[in-house]
Every structure is written in structure tokens, then in C-alpha cells.
Amino acid sequence: MTRYGDGLAVVTVTYSPGDTLDTFLSTLSSATTRPVSVVLADNGSTDGVPERAAAEHDHVTFLSTGGNLGYGAAANRGVRSLPDSVGWVAVANPDLSWGVGSLDALLEAAKRWPRGGAFGPLIREPSGAVYPSARLLPSLGRGLGHAVFAHLWPANPWSTAYRQAAASLEERTAGWLSGSCLLLRREAFDSVDGFDPRYFMYFEDVDLGDRIARAGWLNVYVPEAEVVHIGGHSTKRASSRMLAAHHSSAYRYLSDRHRGPLWAPVMLAVRVGLSLRLKVLTR
């Protein structure tokens, strides 16, 4: 097993991020007092922004993945490119604005949780609303209840439980943490071989949280650390494609955990139900 140092790095997956990347990098400077290197794992940007950012900042490295590999696979590439002196890696979307001291607050929490494998901050929407970023794992019943009723009845009990929307804003463990901003203990990330590259987008963070917990680590929510999720420049163009990817990833997550002939009829019904839901949402 590789012994890592105490260094800190940030990996962000870029895909024509536009001017959000400038905000990401400028606010990162106040997120920690520690030296931090940044890897831009680029999935085929055409706007030239990641290349320009790497040219303008000595601590920023441009890493071409060779194509659009998806979020998890590109993040894995970025983490693997780091030297062994880096033992702490923040994987974050490039459309974040870092709160002052947010990374330092996550690192301080890691001292309090020696079995913590992943640490997630409080994430705010641009409106100031708190995004429910620390959730329970989607069991079959809870996940299906959320899928069926979330749009028609937002306050339904399945969605409320799954999102943990009513939970107090205190440091606690969670089933999984939003992949839009995660501080990862590199040892823990390695122990589960990183993100599952089969998830092109969506549910890669749910899957990671589940596998980290199964490997004996903890997912820890740290609301003392705050970031703002501005909203992706690169994801505003393909809502139908994104919805299809979300439903495909949801099925993959559930089917991976309900294998065998006894579950086959149930998973067939889940596949049909998710297909119908997708048609309704994209009609």
C-alpha cells in the first residue's frame, strides 16, 4: 500500500467551463492557507479556458484525458497524476465558488474523524439556499419512492428521508456526499479504486460513498465548511441527454446491488418504470 504525504491538491474535471473556472481558481486561494496544486482533468474542452488557466497559474496543471470520459473516469485520471506527497485530494466541479477557509475546515474535520474517507462541505445554491448534499443511500424502496413522487409531491416522505432535508446542520456521518465538492483521504480513495468509470455522469458519488463505507471508512458532512455551486456553464446545453444519463446511472446503481434471478423481475420493473419516467420528463 502506498504511503502518502500530507500534501493537498484539487482535481477538477473540465469540459468547456467558461468563466466559472476563473471564479473557482480565484476563490480557491482563500479556501486554504496551505500550498495547493490544481489538476484540470480535461474531457475535451473547445473554449480554450482550461489551457489558458494552466498557462497563467504556476500551481495549475492541464491534463488532457484524450476525450470525454465522463466525470468519474476523468477525476480518477487526475488523482492518479498526483505525486505520493499528496495525501489529501479535493475533487470538485469547476463551477464552484470556495468559501473562505472551506478547505482548511474540511482538513480540520479530518483530524477529528481518523476513519473519515470523504468529507463534504455545506453547499449553497446561488440564491443562498442550502443544497441537501449529505444524504442517505437510496435503498430500493426509498429510491423508487423518490423517483416516482419527487416532481409531483416534493415533500413526500421518501424524498424527505433520502435528501435528509430536515436534518440539522451539524457535523455528522452520511450515506453519501455530493461529488460536486469532496475532500478525499487518498488512502481511502485508493482502497475502493476511486470512482467507478462505468458511471458517465450522475450516481458516481452515490456509488463511491457506498463503497467507501463498505470498505470501513466514513462519509462525513462538515457544514462549517461552505461553498457555492454556481451552476455549470458546460451542462446548460444538454438537459435531455443529462436526464437520460441520470436514469441510466440510477438503474446501474440499483441493479448492481440487487443481482441474481430472484431480483430479475423486480429490476425489470424498475427498468421499465425509469424508462417511462424519462419519457414523461423529456416529453
Side-chain angles (χ1 to χ4, degrees):
M1 182 176 66
T2 304
R3 295 182 64 87
Y4 293 113
D6 198 44
L8 172 66
V10 172
V11 171
T12 186
V13 178
T14 52
Y15 182 69
S16 297
D19 57 9
T20 61
L21 185 59
D22 290 334
T23 300
F24 179 93
L25 293 173
S26 63
T27 57
L28 178 60
S29 63
S30 63
T32 179
T33 57
R34 298 178 56 173
V36 58
S37 59
V38 180
V39 175
L40 308 179
D42 190 74
N43 267 344
S45 294
T46 58
D47 62 359
V49 170
E51 295 93 332
R52 187 198 73 211
E56 292 178 351
H57 301 281
D58 292 339
H59 67 297
V60 178
T61 300
F62 176 84
L63 175 68
S64 174
T65 66
N68 192 357
L69 306 185
Y71 187 82
N76 288 345
R77 291 275 186 97
V79 175
R80 285 199 298 267
S81 74
L82 297 169
D84 292 348
S85 58
V86 174
W88 298 99
V89 184
V91 176
N93 286 5
D95 55 345
L96 280 184
S97 175
W98 298 88
V100 175
S102 52
L103 267 178
D104 283 343
L106 292 173
L107 288 165
E108 283 300 312
K111 296 177 182 178
R112 297 190 290 272
W113 298 83
R115 288 305 297 173
F119 300 84
L122 181 149
I123 300 174
R124 291 194 185 274
E125 305 280 7
S127 65
V130 175
Y131 177 75
S133 60
R135 305 187 182 189
L136 296 180
L137 289 168
S139 64
L140 190 58
R142 190 161 49 230
L144 292 179
H146 171 66
V148 172
F149 294 107
H151 288 274
L152 300 174
W153 180 18
N156 73 79
W158 299 278
S159 295
T160 300
Y162 169 55
R163 292 176 181 270
Q164 293 285 274
S168 59
L169 297 180
E170 61 183 7
E171 192 167 294
R172 59 182 170 83
T173 59
W176 65 280
L177 302 160
S178 172
S180 61
C181 187
L182 281 176
L183 176 68
L184 296 161
R185 192 185 300 269
R186 197 168 175 189
E187 178 188 355
F189 192 69
D190 277 3
S191 74
V192 296
D193 296 323
F195 289 104
D196 186 335
R198 295 178 303 154
Y199 293 87
F200 182 78
M201 60 191 308
Y202 299 115
F203 273 80
E204 71 283 325
D205 46 6
V206 187
D207 173 78
L208 179 70
D210 182 33
R211 289 186 294 111
I212 280 178
R214 290 172 186 259
W217 301 95
L218 299 171
N219 297 284
V220 183
Y221 179 52
V222 187
E224 181 184 350
E226 287 197 24
V227 300
V228 177
H229 195 182
I230 300 168
H233 174 83
S234 63
T235 58
K236 291 178 180 177
R237 303 185 292 250
S239 58
S240 294
R241 175 171 164 268
M242 289 163 60
L243 278 170
H246 187 276
H247 284 69
S248 175
S249 293
Y251 178 78
R252 181 181 298 281
Y253 176 86
L254 291 172
S255 63
D256 276 355
R257 287 151 179 82
H258 299 87
R259 298 175 181 272
L262 292 178
W263 282 108
V266 176
M267 296 317 302
L268 176 60
V270 170
R271 182 190 286 273
V272 171
L274 287 171
S275 296
L276 291 173
R277 184 178 188 269
L278 177 61
K279 288 181 179 179
V280 170
L281 292 176
T282 56
R283 187 172 55 190

